[in-house]
Amino acid sequence: MKLSKLMHVASVIIGLAGVITFASAILSGADNLVFGITKLDALLCSAILVLIAIWLSIGTIHHIILEKRGDII
């Protein structure tokens, strides 16, 4: 399997984890706990997960361009 496909799958999985964490933080109850951590920490973690997913997507695009040119890393 090509590196770009693995990076794409990883970015999708991490992005979904970020969306699920964000949704659970927004929809959580009044006790301010999400997965055993505070709501603010869960929102910060979801933002970091989404940023990681974006970074992996940019890296995937870069690797696809390199693979088309024949400059496989």
Side-chain angles (χ1 to χ4, degrees), residues 21-68:
T21 306
F22 178 76
S24 63
I26 294 297
L27 299 174
S28 67
D31 61 351
N32 282 336
L33 288 178
V34 179
F35 303 126
I37 59 174
T38 63
K39 186 183 281 192
L40 178 63
D41 289 337
L43 287 171
L44 291 173
C45 288
S46 68
I48 290 171
L49 285 171
V50 169
L51 288 175
I52 291 171
I54 291 169
W55 186 254
L56 278 173
S57 298
I58 292 170
T60 302
I61 293 168
H62 175 70
H63 278 276
I64 288 172
I65 291 170
L66 287 178
E67 288 170 355
K68 284 184 180 178

